[in-house]
Structure formats: structure tokens, C-alpha cells
Amino acid sequence: MRAKTLWTSSPSLYLLPILALLGWYLTTALEPPGFDGFPGVTSHVAASLPFAILPAAATAAWDIGRLRQSGLLRTAPARNRLRVLAQMTLPGWACGLWTVAVMLTAAMRMADDPFDSFNLAPLVVSLAVLSAWTLVGAAAGAYLPPVAAAPAAAIGGYVLYSGSAALTDPKWRHLTGYSWSECCTVDQQPDPTLIWASLPLALAFALAAILVLSDLGRFWTRGLGAVAAVATAGAIAFPAASGLGYIPVVARDDDDLTCETSRVEVCVWPESRELLPLAVQTADQIASELEPYEVDLSNGFRQGNRAVPGQWRFVIREDFNADLMRKSMISALQPSSTHCDDPQDRFYAMQILSTAWIQVVLAEVTPDEAADDFRLGPDQKSALEDLLSQPAADQGAWFDSAAAELAECPGTGSAEERQR
Amino acid sequence: MEFGMRDCRFSYRPLFREHRVFDGLSVQFDTGRTLLLGPNGAGKSTMMALLASAVMPKEGQVYFGELRPSRRREQAAFRRNVGWVPQRVNAMPGLNVREQVAYAGWLKDMPKHDAWDAAMPAIEKVGLADLAERPSKALSGGQNRRLGIAMGLVHRAKVLMLDEPSAGLDPLQREDLRVTLAQTGEHADLIVSTHDTDDMGSQYDHVVVLAGGSVRFQGTTKDFMELAERDGSDSARAAAAYRSLVQES
């Protein structure tokens, strides 16, 4: 078929402007990515991927459906059947690719440094998922009337991909590829194992659809082949998915950090290198203010978007000034207890008291204001006052021991997992 | 070029119940224009589908010269040489008449530009030139038949089979179709199926009568007419000859 005929006869051409607007809106309407590198950008796209799958699968189903309706495939074409079907599937696939391209462009515009930490894996999986569902749509179109095939393919793809995110058990979202949409904070990388959890099924669905569409052998042998492909992929992907946590990421390589030491060591990721002097200056100031308390800052400060037990991780945004940098670093000194197994709320009480203390010492907050801000009960408030009445070195020693206890509390995840 | 089928067995299996259509059927078509006659349910459409390689026999061979569609490597070449217009041709939503005819040519392995160029002459031949830009969905039943024929003509097959092309046409359209088929038969061997002896005109060289899954008659039109009494019009004699063959069973 001539390219002009192919495009003008397919609904995909008329969908392109609508999909461009929708793709742009969906990408920019979501929360800005927490990570400006390429994994963050592609992960942002993966979150909106169902909106690309939907038109791609539906258009492919519609186009193959109208070919089926015409009966032309039954008139013994001389051309290879798969080539004929591939040509008719092209507009649907292009429709999905177009939507992804628009979403990618929008996400890259939102990111400061879209090519940092370049990692193609999330994009490869997203494109595999998109292609698989386009082919599944085409297979539906080959056996169902277009009015049934198009909505079935669209809803099927949408529900399986985005619906898996609604399930409590994370392995389903790992299998469908949705988990790529949750990557990554600045100090994380996608877990390479996620490739083995999400790519096999996408490839198997694509292969199964091709088998169903082809004319190799009898229908039932092709059907069995399709089932075998999906089963084999499941056997590979299921164990990989089962071994992954809720958000399948690994810690970014520390070798990428840029560090500078004055009074304390401060480390930032390459994309924030420009703010390192300000961070060092702020850390020096904090260190000098904490000097009378002899608080242990030997671990230094490290840029990161998540609290990691035993580390002082601070957030950086490109619009940070001295004041915001100071607030961010003070926040880094507030230990977390969310990882602790804490039925008696003992660790939580320790965390609240440490946080209130740091605020009083560094953020010019009065004990009463701290009690209000952190909703301290009467006992906790008097504990704070007791702590503040002790010699500075004792206060610092208490803070260090509380921070150490919170870092090593019994609780969720191995030490390695806590570092992710 | 020899064209036909040898010792073909074929059956349908609706819901696991086997319905045998042909049990060792052999037929070889002579060059020229052949009319395939047979009552409804005789297996004419199935025979054409087999000859076109749209379905494959359980046993036996379909052939065009040395080409066998059952051999995968020869299938495309076979199909390029053998055209088939099934009884029902549907419009492809979104395409106009010329685009649909050109697409049919492309499906028969014509380069897309050649198919596009060949579409218009084929459309003109069936008298649809004025409707070439009209959506194929908007054609009437008779126009649709002619569209089907144009789709069969476009790739210039060496053998063209038309399955009941006159069904549903009014007398004037039938006359037009006769003229079209007469012209078509000048470039390709033609096999036209019908259950109506009124379609039989002087333009056919051979007649094959199919009934109950077997060939009851195969010969020249003259031999076929000889089966009936010499008195009466040609159409009455054809009907009488046909009746005598079909009622033999």
C-alpha cells in the first residue's frame, strides 16, 4: 500500500495532534521528576506510558480489523502475510512512538540535565512494552471485528500495565514494566535485575502476537507456541521479579560523587557540582556551630533525596541559596526512624527528640516552638528541656548515641537495602 | 500452462463434525474461457478457493505448470499467476476505489507504484472510472462486484477465477459483465463459476459441470450443447443439458 494511502486511511494520522497535546499535558502535569538524569526522565515517561499504549493498541487493532473485514487476506495474497500485517500495524505503532517522543521531549525540558547518568534500560523496556501491546492489538484485530478489537486491545493493555501498579504485591508491576516509572532519586540507579523481570514478558507477548498473526502451521500449534513463549518468559521473569523490593533501585556508584573537605567532607553528584562551594561553606558554618557540642560529623554530608540511616544526606535543588542550603543541611541532621521495628514508639520518640534538639541548636527555634512544631507531649517536652539544661558536650554525646541507635535499630531491610 | 488439481481431498470441520466436500477430485482446465457450472452447494466456491490456494487440500495437489502452492517457496509465484475474485468482495474502510484496487495489486506482489498505475486501467475496464475516487464502502452491490473484478484484473494474472460474478446483478449489469469478461478473456485464461445457465453465452470455450463433489462433465461448449436436443434456443438447450447432468446423480 502506498504510504499516503496507509496514513490517510488509518485513524492514527488524525490522532497525532490529540496525542501530542495529551502526552505533553500528562507529562508536565505530573510531579516534576526527583532526578534530573536520563533514568529520571525516562521513568517519568514510563509513568505516562499507558496513554501511549492505549492509542497504539487500539489503532493497530482497528487497522488490522478493517483489513480482516475486507476479506483481502483470504484472497490468497502473494505477499508474505506478516509483511502485509506489519505494514498495517505501522501507523498504530508510530502513533505510540509519537506519543512517547512527545512525552520524552516534555520530560527532558523539565529536567535540568537530561543526559546525566545516561541509562537506556527504562526507555528500552518502555518501547518493548509499547511494541508488544501494539502487536497484541494487531492480533486482536485479526480475529475480532474492529469495533470489538480496538477497545479490547486498548483496555487490555492499559489495565494490565497501569492496573498492576494498584496491586499490593510489587512483583506484578515489575513483570509488566510499570516499576520503571518509580526510578530514581539522585543517589539511585535502576536495579539491573528489573530488566530480567520486565523485558521477557514484553518480548513474549510480542512473539505470541506474531505467532498468532502468522500463517505458519495450524492455528492450534501457533496458539500453543504463543502460550509456550509467555510461559517461558514467565519462568524467567517471575523469580527475578520476586526477588525485587517495592521500588527496584540500587545505590548509585559512589565513585561518581564529587567531594570537598574543609571542616567536614561534603559530597555532591555531578549534576549539582556548581553548588558544591555553597554546600561546603554551609557545612563549615554548621560544623563550627556544633563544635561546642562535639557532635560527630566525621561521616560528612552527602547529597541524596532519601534518609539513609547513619548518613547525613541533604537535598539540593538548582535554585538553592545560602538560606535554603542551610535548611536542607539541618534537615539532613534529623535522624529517621521509619525503618525501625518500633511497636513501643521508642525509636520514634528518640527521633522526635533528636529532631527538636537539632532545631533548637541550629535553627534558632525556642524549646516551646520546637514542642509545638513537633507536637511533643508533656513528658517529651520536659525531656527536651532536661537535655538542653545539660552541658553542651553531654547534649552532643546524647545526640550521637541516639543517632547511632536509630541507625542500627532492628527493623525492615538488610543493611545493604537501607543504603539503596 | 497446465492448471488444475489432482486427487484432492478436502473437508470442512464445523464443530468437530467433518463435512467432506471433495474426495480425490481431479480436474485440469484448458486454456481459454471456462464456465464452471454447478448447483448451489456443489463445491464450486471451495474448488476455486483450493485452486487459488486460499485453502489447502488435505491430500492431493493443486498446480500451475510446475508450481505447487503447497510448497512454501513456490506459493508466492503461484499466487502471482492465479487470480481469484471470491463471491463476496468487501470494501476496506478508509480506502477509495482506486486505492483498494491498487492495494489488491500490491498484495499480489506488484510494486506499489506499478499497482497504483495499473489500478486505473482495471477500473476503467469494469466501468467504474467515474467512481475511482469514491470510498469503496459507498458502492452499490453491482458496483461492488465490478470492484472485485477490477481487483482480480489489476495484477494481470495468467488465470483469473471469478466466483459467481453475476449474482445479484440486474440484466443490464449482466450484459456489461459479459462484455467485460469477453475482454478479460483475451489476456488471461478465465474460469467463471455460476449455477445459472443463463450466464452461458457464446464467449465460453469450455464447460465444467460440478455436482456432489465430482466433475460430471468437462468438454467444449459445443460438446456440452450436444447433450441436449437440437431444437430450441441456446439457453434452453444449455439448461436442458445441465439438468440432464445434474439429475444423473
Side-chain angles (χ1 to χ4, degrees):
Chain A
M1 191 184 281
R2 293 186 321 151
K4 187 184 165 198
T5 308
L6 183 69
W7 282 97
T8 53
S9 67
S10 167
S12 57
L13 185 69
Y14 310 99
L15 283 173
L16 293 182
I18 301 167
L19 292 172
L21 289 172
L22 191 70
W24 194 275
Y25 169 74
L26 288 167
T27 311
T28 51
L30 289 174
E31 286 292 307
F35 178 41
D36 289 334
F38 201 68
V41 168
T42 46
S43 146
H44 205 60
V45 170
S48 313
L49 194 64
F51 298 98
I53 292 173
L54 200 146
T59 311
W62 183 269
D63 282 339
I64 297 292
R66 66 195 174 98
L67 179 60
R68 172 188 171 272
Q69 207 171 38
S70 73
L72 282 167
L73 278 180
R74 292 195 302 272
T75 59
R79 283 202 188 267
N80 181 286
R81 181 182 161 92
L82 279 180
R83 190 182 161 190
V84 172
L85 293 170
Q87 190 197 49
M88 288 301 282
T89 309
L90 205 61
W93 190 61
C95 222
L97 278 188
W98 164 255
T99 316
V100 169
V102 168
M103 295 192 301
L104 200 61
T105 309
M108 284 175 116
R109 273 175 57 92
M110 289 165 70
D112 291 327
D113 240 328
F115 291 108
D116 247 332
S117 183
F118 201 72
N119 186 333
L120 272 176
L123 191 61
V124 167
V125 174
S126 292
L127 293 180
V129 170
L130 173 75
S131 306
W133 280 105
T134 308
L135 286 166
V136 170
Y143 291 93
L144 295 171
V147 286
I155 294 167
Y158 184 89
V159 166
L160 203 71
Y161 184 77
S162 59
S164 61
L167 301 172
T168 325
D169 189 341
K171 69 171 159 292
W172 301 111
R173 61 168 70 185
H174 302 335
L175 291 171
T176 59
Y178 188 86
S179 296
W180 291 99
S181 66
E182 288 165 345
C183 175
C184 305
T185 59
V186 69
D187 44 1
Q188 294 172 327
Q189 282 285 335
D191 191 330
T193 315
L194 189 54
I195 288 267
W196 291 103
S198 54
L199 199 56
L201 268 186
L203 296 178
F205 276 129
L207 180 63
I210 290 170
L211 278 172
V212 168
L213 284 166
S214 77
D215 56 354
L216 297 167
R218 291 173 184 276
F219 179 77
W220 67 268
T221 51
R222 283 181 277 134
L224 274 180
V227 171
V230 175
T232 307
I236 296 167
F238 208 80
S242 301
L244 290 169
Y246 199 81
I247 298 178
V249 289
V250 290
R252 196 171 166 186
D253 189 353
D254 284 352
D255 291 346
D256 290 348
L257 283 166
T258 304
C259 298
E260 202 174 305
T261 308
S262 177
R263 291 176 74 105
V264 289
E265 188 186 52
V266 180
C267 297
V268 297
W269 298 102
E271 48 270 41
S272 303
R273 201 179 290 137
E274 284 175 16
L275 287 166
L276 182 58
L278 178 62
V280 171
Q281 189 188 333
T282 311
D284 281 354
Q285 197 181 344
I286 287 174
S288 69
E289 288 171 37
L290 287 177
E291 203 166 14
Y293 300 93
E294 298 174 19
V295 169
D296 181 13
L297 292 177
S298 59
N299 276 346
F301 287 92
R302 176 195 281 219
Q303 184 191 357
N305 284 30
R306 302 157 303 111
V308 172
Q311 290 183 9
W312 309 126
R313 292 209 180 190
F314 68 106
V315 175
I316 295 184
R317 284 206 316 266
E318 61 165 340
D319 58 345
F320 266 21
N321 53 24
D323 187 41
L324 290 171
M325 185 67 83
R326 181 178 167 82
K327 283 181 177 160
S328 176
M329 286 185 140
I330 292 172
S331 290
L333 291 169
Q334 300 171 0
S336 165
S337 68
T338 50
H339 57 284
C340 299
D341 186 12
D342 193 17
Q344 310 293 324
D345 283 347
R346 190 172 78 84
F347 293 109
Y348 177 67
M350 200 179 284
Q351 178 210 329
I352 288 289
L353 198 55
S354 316
T355 303
W357 180 80
I358 262 301
Q359 290 289 321
V360 171
V361 170
L362 290 177
E364 295 172 2
V365 172
T366 65
D368 287 340
E369 285 169 341
D372 284 346
D373 288 349
F374 298 102
R375 299 185 180 190
L376 301 184
D379 292 348
Q380 288 168 313
K381 191 180 173 190
S382 79
L384 177 63
E385 285 163 351
D386 283 352
L387 179 62
L388 289 166
S389 66
Q390 289 174 25
D394 290 355
Q395 292 178 44
W398 177 88
F399 178 81
D400 283 343
S401 72
E405 207 171 332
L406 284 165
E408 286 160 20
C409 65
T412 52
S414 62
E416 189 188 318
E417 281 167 347
R418 290 181 190 185
Q419 299 301 313
R420 283 178 185 170
Chain B
M1 194 78 78
E2 290 179 341
F3 175 60
M5 55 168 69
R6 193 176 302 122
D7 302 326
C8 276
R9 274 187 58 203
F10 184 80
S11 51
Y12 290 109
R13 266 179 180 267
L15 293 174
F16 306 106
R17 280 170 45 208
E18 190 169 13
H19 169 63
R20 186 164 291 181
V21 184
F22 299 126
D23 194 1
L25 182 72
S26 296
V27 60
Q28 182 169 309
F29 292 89
D30 295 306
T31 52
R33 284 162 287 195
T34 303
L35 189 68
L36 177 62
L37 269 171
N40 288 329
K44 300 187 295 294
S45 297
T46 306
M47 179 191 259
M48 284 197 165
L50 279 166
L51 287 167
S53 79
V55 291
M56 291 293 172
K58 274 189 165 177
E59 281 176 26
Q61 286 287 352
V62 172
Y63 56 87
F64 178 80
E66 296 297 313
L67 297 173
R68 307 278 183 277
S70 52
R71 296 178 196 147
R72 212 158 176 90
R73 275 183 306 168
E74 295 173 13
Q75 200 175 66
F78 177 92
R79 288 175 170 181
R80 276 195 295 271
N81 283 297
V82 178
W84 171 49
V85 180
Q87 214 172 64
R88 208 173 137 197
V89 174
N90 294 327
M92 184 155 162
L95 301 194
N96 66 29
V97 169
R98 187 174 181 185
E99 286 168 340
Q100 179 149 347
V101 173
Y103 188 49
W106 183 82
L107 287 175
K108 285 290 187 182
D109 228 2
M110 291 179 85
K112 59 186 169 192
H113 294 296
D114 291 358
W116 181 250
D117 292 341
M120 209 53 212
I123 292 166
E124 282 165 0
K125 207 173 264 185
V126 298
L128 287 178
D130 294 344
L131 306 175
E133 301 302 317
R134 184 179 285 192
S136 52
K137 248 185 131 174
L139 298 183
S140 69
Q143 289 164 343
N144 210 281
R145 293 245 158 234
R146 286 190 274 161
L147 168 67
I149 296 167
M151 288 162 65
L153 292 174
V154 67
H155 72 286
R156 300 180 198 106
K158 295 212 169 78
V159 179
L160 178 60
M161 297 183 289
L162 304 169
D163 194 1
E164 308 236 10
S166 60
L169 299 188
D170 63 36
L172 276 178
Q173 288 172 328
R174 280 185 179 217
E175 195 46 48
D176 288 346
L177 179 71
R178 257 185 211 139
V179 175
T180 307
L181 293 183
Q183 290 170 350
T184 307
E186 289 165 11
H187 312 290
D189 293 336
L190 198 64
I191 301 169
V192 178
S193 80
T194 182
H195 62 272
D196 191 347
T197 49
D198 283 350
D199 288 336
M200 195 164 160
S202 55
Q203 76 265 37
Y204 292 104
D205 307 311
H206 311 281
V207 175
V208 172
V209 177
L210 187 70
S214 61
V215 173
R216 297 296 167 81
F217 175 85
Q218 182 170 17
T220 62
T221 309
K222 192 173 166 226
D223 291 343
F224 178 73
M225 297 299 258
E226 292 292 328
L227 295 173
E229 299 288 332
R230 281 180 182 274
D231 52 340
S233 65
D234 279 355
S235 83
R237 287 181 67 202
Y242 173 58
R243 202 177 304 118
S244 70
L245 289 165
V246 173
Q247 281 175 350
E248 268 178 21
S249 59

